[in-house]
Amino acid sequence: MGDRQTAIRISCRTQDSLPFSQIEEFQGNLKKRSKKEISKIITSILRYGFSFPFFVWRDGGRNRCLDGHGRLLALGEMSRRHYFLDEAGKLSDDGGEPVAIPDLPVVYIDAADEAEAKQKVLRLNSCYGVFDAEGFAEFADGLDIDWDELMLPSGELFELPPEFLAGDTGEEHKSLAERFIVPPLSVFRASAGYWQERKKSWLALGIQSEKGRDDAMLSSMAALSEKACGGKLASESIFDPVLCEIMYRWFCPAGGHILDPFAGGSVRGLVAGRLGFKYTGIDLRDEQIAANREQVAIAGENPPEWICGDSRRMDSFLPADFKCSFVFSCPPYADLEVYSDRPEDLSNMDYEAFRAAYFDIIGKACSRLEDDSFAAFVVGEARQKSKAGSYYGIVPDTIRAFEEAGLRYYDEMILVTQIAAKALTVAEGFVKSRKIGKVHQNVLVFVKGDPVKAASKCKVDGGELAAAISSAEEGDGLDTGANA
């Protein structure tokens, strides 16, 4: 390390090789890579040598790269600047001559034409199977693994069980959960591949937020979903754990206490516990609380607390000195979904009564929020049964409620979902009444006190954030392929 190597070492053998200048890229913009990801590939080449051959399709007199696009980009960068690994093994560069790139190992892949070559590229980038915990332990026994270098942005290849995320010293490596971040822009696309993969990882822990809802409710919700979106959904009205993770990491201090006055299912509590936050959720329905508690082991060493009660009376069952670091919830969208027949259930009320109770609960929750802290609600609109289906105005009423509680309206993100399915069913309603198909929810963020002081409590990895912003500015998506 730190010896300013002058040439790239070839650490695999093939029958054929080609000069770097004679290998052409073929994938185009199929996969995107940030500068940070290219740096990781350069680091790997310098540390281990050029370890795997290019897969090349001979297209007449052209040598077109089917697999190794990332390495082509890395070698191109290495041909312009002198990169080396310093004494600490970190990637550095200086003003010296670039390292020499020798002829590179290739394996030729047959393809009848460009269409067949593209089909083979897609199959090269497909990922089948997942790591088995016991099998991985046996395979990796004794290895000193650099998780940061191996971790892919999607987590697809190295989404490992928690027991593999601690080193011999007991110091935890950063897991994908700890590293996950999206660019801090105003639109979140829940249908994106990296988002869906992350969601699968959370649900794979065994989270079943639909538990606690009776069959009639779930059937009703499924019917509403099918009517609205043109197809059955696997998790209608289930809170998105990825959104939950983002909000906690961005707006709640590490180890902070989250108050959720409309707790509903288990997701928000289990994600909070898993990430090391304290969580207190309040819900009216004892059957929902019981179902949530059945899953509490998923949260690990930070079990969430669920309280059965009416949030309008939270002062009667929360300790007088109870304070939270973040208020976060997803309230009923008026009467869009009816959760129970209890008269105190907001989803059972007419809108005037709903609004009064809603404002009261937000006011009480915010009174428990520490100064210089954030609050966020995920809300959506609902159409009135009368008045030709006009919106109630839940979003502006939410803003007014927080402002009346002494907070300031600070940020808003749009969570976009179900575009393709909704597009199939929106035509009839639009032609008849100009009702636009709704494919988003509003994530409203508020601040109590000084936003700079509030932000200083919530640590976000600047390097990860800078990489995410850079990626977005360059038009880069997150790479979900498995091959470098």
Side-chain angles (χ1 to χ4, degrees):
M1 299 296 182
D3 59 358
R4 306 295 201 278
Q5 64 189 82
T6 58
I8 292 174
R9 175 170 57 95
I10 303 299
S11 55
C12 64
R13 296 181 183 179
T14 60
Q15 291 183 342
D16 299 290
S17 61
L18 286 171
F20 171 59
S21 61
Q22 292 184 21
I23 303 175
E24 298 183 30
E25 70 89 18
F26 180 66
Q27 293 186 12
N29 294 319
L30 176 64
K31 294 167 68 176
K32 300 287 188 179
R33 288 178 176 83
S34 68
K35 292 178 181 178
K36 184 174 182 180
E37 291 163 338
I38 295 300
S39 295
K40 289 184 178 182
I41 299 174
I42 294 173
T43 300
S44 179
I45 291 173
L46 292 174
R47 181 171 290 148
Y48 301 110
F50 197 86
S51 305
F52 305 98
F54 285 114
F55 286 0
V56 170
W57 168 47
R58 280 178 165 167
D59 179 19
R62 303 168 67 185
N63 299 298
R64 309 185 73 179
C65 179
L66 302 188
D67 181 58
H69 182 64
R71 282 170 286 155
L72 274 182
L73 295 176
L75 290 169
E77 183 67 20
M78 295 173 77
S79 71
R80 293 185 288 272
R81 300 168 65 183
H82 179 241
Y83 288 94
F84 63 94
L85 300 182
D86 64 18
E87 295 296 337
K90 299 298 183 183
L91 185 66
S92 301
D93 67 273
D94 56 23
E97 288 294 317
V99 295
I101 302 176
D103 287 356
L104 299 162
V106 299
V107 171
Y108 292 110
I109 306 297
D110 293 334
D113 50 29
E114 185 168 307
E116 184 175 319
K118 287 183 175 180
Q119 289 280 4
K120 292 191 175 186
V121 168
L122 293 177
R123 280 149 182 78
L124 276 169
N125 286 279
S126 296
C127 296
Y128 299 101
V130 295
F131 282 108
D132 173 76
E134 195 172 312
F136 184 88
E138 181 179 348
F139 182 83
D141 183 40
L143 295 181
D144 182 14
I145 297 175
D146 185 340
W147 302 104
D148 182 68
E149 184 180 321
L150 290 175
M151 191 72 71
L152 297 178
S154 67
E156 234 173 66
L157 185 59
F158 280 86
E159 181 65 24
L160 299 172
E163 55 265 34
F164 297 117
L165 298 176
D168 294 337
T169 64
E171 179 183 352
E172 289 192 1
H173 295 281
K174 281 190 173 181
S175 68
L176 183 60
E178 291 169 314
R179 298 167 48 82
F180 179 80
I181 197 165
V182 294
L185 305 175
S186 61
V187 177
F188 294 160
R189 301 190 183 279
S191 59
Y194 68 90
W195 188 293
Q196 288 297 314
E197 287 302 316
R198 186 71 194 135
K199 185 174 182 178
K200 288 178 186 176
S201 297
W202 276 111
L203 297 181
L205 296 174
I207 298 175
Q208 296 177 287
S209 195
E210 71 278 8
K211 280 193 171 183
R213 301 181 180 185
D214 60 37
D215 292 340
M217 182 196 303
L218 290 173
S219 298
S220 173
M221 288 160 56
L224 283 170
S225 172
E226 188 165 3
K227 180 179 179 182
C229 302
K232 294 182 179 179
L233 301 181
S235 56
E236 51 272 12
S237 195
I238 303 306
F239 196 85
D240 194 311
V242 180
L243 175 62
C244 190
E245 178 178 9
I246 294 169
M247 300 309 288
Y248 291 166
R249 296 209 173 279
W250 286 9
F251 296 107
C252 187
H257 199 149
I258 297 153
L259 175 61
D260 184 349
F262 300 100
S266 60
V267 170
R268 293 192 292 277
L270 296 179
V271 172
R274 194 79 181 187
L275 297 178
F277 297 98
K278 299 175 183 176
Y279 173 94
T280 299
I282 305 169
D283 195 85
L284 274 174
R285 297 182 302 114
D286 50 2
E287 63 272 24
Q288 181 67 73
I289 298 296
N292 291 354
R293 288 172 178 164
E294 288 178 2
Q295 303 172 61
V296 73
I298 294 171
E301 297 180 358
N302 297 284
E305 178 187 22
W306 285 288
I307 298 172
C308 186
D310 185 344
S311 286
R312 285 175 293 180
R313 293 192 285 273
M314 69 174 71
D315 290 341
S316 67
F317 48 77
L318 290 179
D321 60 351
F322 179 95
K323 286 290 184 180
C324 65
S325 317
F326 185 43
V327 171
F328 183 58
S329 200
C330 181
Y333 298 172
D335 57 0
L336 179 65
E337 295 174 9
V338 177
Y339 293 92
S340 75
D341 57 4
R342 293 172 170 83
E344 65 271 31
D345 189 331
L346 271 65
S347 66
N348 251 334
M349 300 176 181
D350 61 43
Y351 193 72
E352 184 177 350
F354 168 90
R355 188 178 185 277
Y358 188 43
F359 274 54
D360 185 26
I361 291 170
I362 288 174
K364 285 185 168 66
C366 290
S367 72
R368 301 295 187 139
L369 181 63
E370 296 172 348
D371 290 337
D372 305 325
S373 297
F374 294 106
F377 264 32
V378 181
V379 298
E381 285 294 353
R383 295 190 181 276
Q384 302 181 45
K385 302 294 190 290
S386 57
K387 299 183 181 179
S390 301
Y391 279 144
Y392 283 117
I394 299 172
V395 173
D397 275 344
T398 301
I399 296 170
R400 292 188 193 101
F402 275 95
E403 289 177 339
E404 287 191 12
L407 279 70
R408 284 177 288 157
Y409 179 34
Y410 197 69
D411 278 320
E412 179 178 15
M413 287 78 80
I414 302 299
L415 177 67
V416 181
T417 58
Q418 306 299 336
I419 291 179
K422 192 72 170 180
L424 299 174
T425 62
V426 72
E428 181 180 351
F430 180 76
V431 169
K432 181 180 179 181
S433 62
R434 292 302 186 272
K435 288 181 180 176
I436 301 295
K438 187 172 177 295
V439 294
H440 75 276
Q441 293 171 294
N442 302 69
V443 185
L444 308 178
V445 180
F446 306 88
V447 65
K448 183 177 184 178
D450 186 334
V452 175
K453 291 180 179 178
S456 70
K457 299 178 184 178
C458 309
K459 304 299 183 185
V460 174
D461 187 311
E464 293 289 331
L465 186 58
I469 295 171
S470 173
S471 177
E473 286 177 344
E474 295 169 7
D476 286 354
L478 290 181
D479 184 355
T480 57
N483 296 306

